[in-house]
């Protein structure tokens, strides 16, 4: 092997090692955001008093901005190395994005409207579809550009909320509005719990038509269904659920502030705090270099089942909270 060949090989190895280090750095998940401090800072900068809805809107802005501003920026639509070789953090981004989309939709349809036939807020009407662009779109338009436009609309909505002279922007902190959002979150968490539990593979009874003797479905389904997540998708499912929990944690902390009176009246604040505690536990550091998939009580841990446990407990508490809010 001559000198030039050794030089080329050393250069290639050096480039791959550099890409590896960058990839590791970009794969670090962002820390949780101090929502109260962020609201105080934003209100001070705008010289306004935080009104009802200001905190929830700020949480939505901060969570969405984190997708674009974290180390490496937004990676899900990258087509160049090293980010094109990463899959954990893009999965995390998608989990965050799913929660952001749900919150934006409920804010547009429920939280900003007093009745079903009242007008939509124009800023939210613009922002919500911009958040629904294909998360892998990298050009004309890119996902980042659309998300940036949505963030700008959310800033405009937040400013209008705090402006006493603007009547077109409102945020209604009512129990029925909160229940509408919680119902969406229940479905998300239930799905994540099932997908994470499928990491070990199991056979379940088909309960799709349970509870209704005359219920029908489009095509036949077997009475027993075998579900198992592909070995290649286990870490993706884990990090998507982890990202969703990260975003939801911030939204619930904001809800605790904006809906404080509603929660106090229903004596439901402690229930919300328990959900927050479960989600905080789901964000503990992962010390293993890879997501393990031990079987049952085997020798290796199963990180997916641990995450599913936290999510299931949070979802159970969420269902109880929703039921509590429905009571007079």
């Amino acid at each position: 092997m001559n000198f030039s060949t050794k030089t080329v090989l050393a250069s290639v190895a050096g480039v791959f090692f550099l890409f590896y280090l960058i990839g590791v750095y970009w794969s670090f998940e962002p820390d949780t955001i101090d929502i109260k401090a962020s609201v105080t800072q934003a209100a001070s900068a705008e010289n306004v008093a935080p009104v009802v809805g200001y905190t929830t809107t700020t949480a939505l802005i901060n969570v969405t901005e984190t997708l674009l501003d974290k180390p490496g920026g937004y990676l899900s639509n990258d087509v160049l190395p090293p980010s094109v070789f990463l899959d954990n953090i893009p999965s995390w981004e998608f989990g965050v994005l799913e929660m952001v989309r749900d919150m934006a939709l409920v804010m547009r349809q429920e939280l900003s409207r007093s009745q079903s036939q009242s007008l939509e807020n124009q800023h939210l009407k613009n922002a919500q579809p911009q958040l629904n662009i294909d998360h892998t779109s990298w050009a004309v338009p890119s996902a980042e550009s659309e998300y940036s436009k949505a963030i700008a609309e959310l800033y405009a909505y937040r400013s209008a909320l705090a402006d006493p002279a603007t009547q077109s922007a409102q945020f209604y902190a009512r129990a029925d509005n909160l229940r509408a959002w919680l119902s969406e979150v229940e479905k998300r968490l239930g799905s994540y719990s099932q997908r994470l539990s499928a990491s070990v593979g199991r056979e379940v009874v088909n309960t799709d038509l349970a509870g209704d003797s005359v219920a029908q479905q489009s095509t036949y389904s077997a009475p027993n269904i075998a579900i198992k997540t592909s070995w290649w998708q286990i870490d993706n499912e884990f990090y998507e659920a982890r990202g969703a929990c990260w975003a939801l944690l911030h939204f619930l902390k904001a809800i605790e502030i904006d809906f404080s009176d509603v929660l106090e009246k229903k004596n439901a604040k402690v229930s919300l705090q328990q959900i927050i505690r479960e989600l905080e536990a789901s964000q503990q550091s992962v010390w293993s270099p890879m997501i393990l998939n031990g079987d049952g009580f085997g020798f290796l841990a199963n990180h997916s089942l641990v995450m599913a446990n936290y999510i299931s407990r949070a979802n159970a508490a969420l269902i109880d909270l929703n039921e509590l809010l429905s009571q007079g």
Side-chain angles (χ1 to χ4, degrees):
M1 184 180 296
N2 56 39
F3 177 76
S4 59
T5 303
K6 291 182 180 180
T7 303
V8 171
L9 291 177
S11 300
V12 171
V15 169
F16 273 101
F17 183 66
L18 178 62
F19 282 170
Y20 171 77
L21 293 179
I22 294 174
V24 169
Y25 175 61
W26 286 357
S27 294
F28 287 134
E29 300 166 46
D31 294 330
T32 54
I33 304 167
D34 188 335
I35 295 298
K36 290 184 179 180
S38 181
V39 167
T40 301
Q41 182 180 0
S44 177
E46 295 182 348
N47 195 27
V48 298
V51 296
V52 171
Y54 195 93
T55 303
T56 300
T57 308
T58 299
L60 181 57
I61 290 171
N62 289 349
V63 167
T64 310
E65 284 183 331
T66 300
L67 288 175
L68 307 182
D69 299 338
K70 61 181 175 55
Y74 184 71
L75 304 178
S76 293
N77 63 347
D78 285 2
V79 294
L80 295 175
S83 49
V84 72
F85 299 121
L86 304 178
D87 62 347
N88 291 345
I89 200 66
S91 296
W92 182 91
E93 290 175 344
F94 186 69
V96 172
L97 188 58
E98 288 286 76
M99 285 296 176
V100 166
R101 287 170 170 172
D102 287 348
M103 175 58 82
L105 179 61
V106 172
M107 283 183 65
R108 175 185 174 181
Q109 294 186 337
E110 306 287 345
L111 298 177
S112 63
R113 303 173 67 187
S114 59
Q115 302 176 36
S116 61
Q117 297 187 37
S118 58
L119 294 176
E120 294 178 303
N121 178 269
Q122 190 61 45
H123 296 302
L124 296 177
K125 184 178 179 181
N126 294 338
Q128 187 263 327
Q130 288 166 339
L131 291 168
N132 280 277
I133 186 177
D134 181 2
H135 71 290
T136 62
S137 177
W138 63 276
V140 196
S142 67
E144 293 100 321
S145 66
E146 292 299 292
Y147 299 158
S148 295
K149 292 177 184 177
I151 291 170
E153 293 287 353
L154 292 173
Y155 270 112
Y157 170 70
R158 188 181 70 176
S159 297
L161 275 181
D163 184 0
T166 303
Q167 302 298 312
S168 60
Q170 298 291 341
F171 185 101
Y172 298 97
R174 300 194 313 249
D176 59 331
N177 284 347
L178 180 54
R179 292 188 64 231
W181 177 64
L182 293 178
S183 296
E184 294 300 318
V185 175
E186 287 175 19
K187 298 171 187 175
R188 288 286 182 200
L189 294 187
S191 175
Y192 284 128
S193 178
Q194 287 294 324
R195 288 157 58 185
L196 289 167
S197 298
S199 63
V200 294
R202 58 199 177 100
E203 188 173 273
V204 298
V205 176
N206 188 338
T207 59
D208 293 344
L209 302 180
D212 190 341
S213 61
V214 297
Q216 301 180 55
Q217 63 185 63
S218 301
T219 57
Y220 170 79
S221 295
N224 295 293
I225 304 173
I227 56 174
K228 181 173 176 60
T229 303
S230 166
W231 187 86
W232 298 101
Q233 293 296 318
I234 287 173
D235 58 339
N236 296 340
E237 298 285 1
F238 176 88
Y239 280 102
E240 182 182 333
R242 191 169 165 91
C245 290
W246 181 88
L248 179 59
L249 175 61
H250 295 91
F251 295 153
L252 289 174
K253 288 182 177 180
I255 290 296
E256 183 180 9
I257 296 173
D258 278 334
F259 287 81
S260 178
D261 291 343
V262 173
L263 295 170
E264 288 284 358
K265 180 181 178 181
K266 300 288 186 177
N267 197 26
K269 183 165 286 189
V270 66
S271 299
L272 179 63
Q273 291 170 344
Q274 180 59 36
I275 300 168
I276 291 174
R277 181 170 297 182
E278 296 293 349
L279 293 175
E280 287 176 336
S282 75
Q283 299 301 302
Q284 297 178 71
S285 298
V286 180
W287 297 108
S288 172
M290 63 182 296
I291 301 304
L292 299 178
N293 187 41
D295 187 8
F297 296 102
F299 182 75
L300 296 177
N302 188 305
H303 293 113
S304 296
L305 292 185
V306 174
M307 178 65 76
N309 176 58
Y310 288 128
I311 291 177
S312 295
R313 288 164 60 179
N315 200 27
L318 201 70
I319 293 171
D320 291 340
L321 173 60
N322 209 350
E323 181 65 25
L324 193 60
L325 291 171
S326 69
Q327 300 173 5

